[in-house]
Amino acid sequence: MSARFIIEPLGKKHRRTDFSCGNDRIDSYFHEVVSQDVKRKYATCFVAREIATDRVAGFYTLSSSNVPLNEVPEPLAKKLPRYPSVPAVLIGWLGRHRDYAGQGLGEILLFDAIKTVATAPVGAHAIFADAIDDKAASFYAAFGFVSLIERPRRLYLPVTTALDLLST
């Protein structure tokens, strides 16, 4: 499946206007805002490009982040140092073109994001994901992400757990 796609940094060659995942907020962000976020170093964006067609099939963004320790669920927080915040990387946006629904592309994008974070030469204890709706939250939860106490659509996954996902 993944040999059908190349995941690479967003570039000028990628046709963003053809992308449609069916969620207006995600589509609008990808069409109108993502390149500004990349230019300003607010986020990096990676796209899954279908090799045969050069079509953008999906994308995700990563940003540095942190979360107050008191917002992390207690079973996880009790294992952490008592610093005021937990260093992390945020998957802010993840979208898959609707034409590729049911083909596992969302999982491929998520696992690529996890691999990128887990192998980066920067310290980050956790990966966070901002789920746009309950369906997206369920998607992340299926891979072991846990909701934060104060913000149930912001989900948390320790990098060590993420590495275990990659090895399965």
Side-chain angles (χ1 to χ4, degrees), residues 5-117:
F5 303 97
I6 286 181
I7 299 179
E8 58 195 4
L10 175 68
K12 293 185 186 289
K13 67 182 177 185
H14 298 114
R15 294 184 311 264
R16 291 181 289 131
T17 55
D18 297 341
F19 182 83
S20 176
C21 72
N23 180 296
D24 291 339
R25 285 182 53 211
I26 295 172
D27 291 344
S28 177
Y29 174 80
F30 190 63
H31 296 159
E32 301 167 17
V33 180
V34 69
S35 61
Q36 294 170 19
D37 280 358
V38 169
K39 183 179 176 181
R40 293 180 180 131
K41 301 282 186 190
Y42 272 55
T44 56
C45 180
F46 296 88
V47 298
R49 177 177 54 84
E50 187 175 40
I51 296 168
T53 64
D54 269 349
R55 187 178 188 196
V56 173
F59 78 99
Y60 67 86
T61 64
L62 297 176
S63 300
S64 63
S65 186
N66 65 59
V67 67
L69 182 61
N70 64 358
E71 290 188 21
V72 175
E74 183 57 34
L76 300 170
K78 71 181 180 183
K79 299 176 186 176
L80 300 176
R82 295 290 131 208
Y83 297 128
S85 63
V86 178
V89 174
L90 172 67
I91 302 171
W93 297 89
L94 188 148
R96 178 244 328 118
H97 194 292
R98 68 171 109 210
D99 290 352
Y100 300 92
Q103 298 179 31
L105 184 56
E107 182 176 330
I108 289 170
L109 289 164
L110 178 61
F111 278 50
D112 192 77
I114 288 171
K115 180 180 173 193
T116 299
V117 172

